[in-house]
Amino acid sequence: MQESGHDANPQMKAAFITGHGGNEVVSIAMRPKPVRQPGQVLIRLQAATLNQVDLYMRNSGAGITHQLPQIMGLDGAGTVEEVDEHERAFVPGQSVVLHPAVGCGRCEFCQRGEVVLCTGIQYLGEHRDGTLAQWVSVPAQNVFPMPAGLSFAEAAALGVNHLTAWRMLFTKAQLKPWETVLIFGIGGGVSLAALQLAKLAGAQVLGTSRDDAKLERARLLGADHLINSSTQDVVKEVMAFTGGRGVDVVIENVGAAVWSSAMKSLVRGGRLVTCGATSGDQPSADLRRIFIRQLQIFGSTLGNFDEFRDLLSLTERTGLRPVIDSEFPLDQTHAALSRLESGQQFGKVAIRVGEA
């Protein structure tokens, strides 16, 4: 295998989609190694984790502008391989974690620091080659020092799930320590991240799942009240726990299947933050409830660079560690995708890209 930057046609191993369908369109083979451009950092990746969008890109990728073949993977962590000579923030060999959103740097949203609202945004693994590869080259602003004490897989997990949960809880919902939060789908990456972060903030957390084993594991992570949504009435359980008041904040990424319960679980003036619609994106709006109870509804996706910096600082300070469900070598990406697709995972499904 050619790895040197001086080779005429350097190659690297990667997992990439060649079409759309099932695992048969996912190849693990050689692709051209990226050539670092000025202002970029070349990263030797050690680990990445899978996200629901990896399945979406494999299955259809509809609505996301991309070219085939497309290297998969949004988040990642590894070591710096090459940087500009004048780069002061990073040195070769340094352990780093990636922010997956590459902005244009020029639109009004980038100018005010909201890269996630960029009109020309490119996500790793969606609009451009991603992190299920031995190397990736990204703008220096997308590279952050890796918190001490984490494995590469744990660090990689921060870049999507925990950053998404951070923006939902603290930027959108403005969660306070004395408040209550209802989190749907405990077991999924964003939901578990929200549980961890909300408990660190001092809030009370209620969680739902259809799996008793996942509920018990969530209890061990500090959840205050857990609801089996297949055998219990979520709204009744919420009201019983809160003395008929309702929760201050709902965090959900399920969509239509839970929307009614989510709305009815909120206290008057409460806030609902959504970042997904895996069960459908056209629920009943329930407008009368929204305006009479003065509910607030926020949409949210990922987070900006400042939010990521704050998240990494908190991780370093508190010893927060993302929950890893399982780890697979890059050659077993098919098995990893199947694990995520099964819905049986508790935490992140990780891919070991490097040997470290």
Side-chain angles (χ1 to χ4, degrees), residues 200-222:
L200 281 173
Q204 280 195 314
V205 176
L206 299 82
T208 80
S209 174
R210 291 173 293 183
D211 185 323
D212 282 334
K214 290 183 180 181
L215 293 173
E216 183 54 36
R217 293 184 68 179
R219 190 184 310 279
L220 297 176
L221 288 172

Side-chain angles (χ1 to χ4, degrees), residues 181-183 186 195 199 204-208 215 218-219 222-228 232-234 236-242:
V181 186
L182 171 63
I183 302 172
I186 289 289
L195 166 60
K199 290 308 299 179
Q204 280 195 314
V205 176
L206 299 82
T208 80
L215 293 173
R219 190 184 310 279
D224 298 281
H225 186 67
L226 292 158
I227 304 164
N228 187 318
Q232 295 175 287
D233 184 304
V234 172
K236 286 182 179 178
E237 288 293 318
V238 167
M239 291 304 165
F241 182 79
T242 61

Side-chain angles (χ1 to χ4, degrees), residues 12-16 26-29 45-46 48 50 71-72 131-135 327-336 350-355:
M12 65 176 181
K13 186 182 286 187
F16 53 94
V26 179
S27 294
I28 298 97
L45 288 156
Q46 298 294 341
L50 295 183
I71 296 177
M72 306 175 76
T131 54
L132 296 192
Q134 292 176 299
W135 281 277
E327 293 192 31
F328 295 82
L330 184 61
D331 286 337
Q332 293 180 22
T333 297
H334 285 181
I351 303 287
R352 294 192 303 273
V353 182
E355 298 303 315

Side-chain angles (χ1 to χ4, degrees), residues 10 28 78 80 100-101 103 112 125 134 145 154 181 190 192 203 258 281 292 333 343:
I28 298 97
V80 173
R112 66 179 189 228
Q134 292 176 299
E154 290 169 333
V181 186
V190 172
L192 277 178
V258 305
D281 61 1
I292 289 175
T333 297

Side-chain angles (χ1 to χ4, degrees), residues 102-126:
V102 179
C104 72
R106 297 182 300 278
C107 70
E108 62 173 295
F109 305 104
C110 284
Q111 290 290 314
R112 66 179 189 228
E114 284 283 30
V115 65
V116 287
L117 296 178
C118 173
T119 56
I121 196 166
Q122 291 189 326
Y123 284 111
L124 300 178
E126 295 184 44

Side-chain angles (χ1 to χ4, degrees), residues 118-272:
C118 173
T119 56
I121 196 166
Q122 291 189 326
Y123 284 111
L124 300 178
E126 295 184 44
H127 309 94
R128 57 191 287 154
D129 281 339
T131 54
L132 296 192
Q134 292 176 299
W135 281 277
V136 69
S137 189
V138 296
Q141 65 182 5
N142 286 79
V143 183
F144 294 78
M146 188 173 122
L150 298 184
S151 70
F152 282 109
E154 290 169 333
L158 295 169
V160 172
N161 286 168
H162 282 73
L163 180 54
T164 299
W166 180 281
R167 185 176 178 89
M168 293 174 80
L169 286 168
F170 305 127
T171 304
K172 298 290 186 174
Q174 298 280 304
L175 179 67
K176 305 298 189 298
W178 54 85
E179 292 185 316
T180 51
V181 186
L182 171 63
I183 302 172
F184 282 89
I186 289 289
V190 172
S191 298
L192 277 178
L195 166 60
Q196 289 181 303
L197 292 172
K199 290 308 299 179
L200 281 173
Q204 280 195 314
V205 176
L206 299 82
T208 80
S209 174
R210 291 173 293 183
D211 185 323
D212 282 334
K214 290 183 180 181
L215 293 173
E216 183 54 36
R217 293 184 68 179
R219 190 184 310 279
L220 297 176
L221 288 172
D224 298 281
H225 186 67
L226 292 158
I227 304 164
N228 187 318
S229 55
S230 65
T231 61
Q232 295 175 287
D233 184 304
V234 172
V235 178
K236 286 182 179 178
E237 288 293 318
V238 167
M239 291 304 165
F241 182 79
T242 61
R245 177 180 179 273
V247 295
D248 299 286
V249 174
V250 167
I251 298 294
E252 80 87 24
N253 56 18
V254 180
V258 305
W259 193 258
S260 178
S261 295
M263 300 277 278
K264 293 174 181 176
S265 295
L266 282 168
V267 69
R268 291 170 179 267
R271 296 95 75 197
L272 185 155

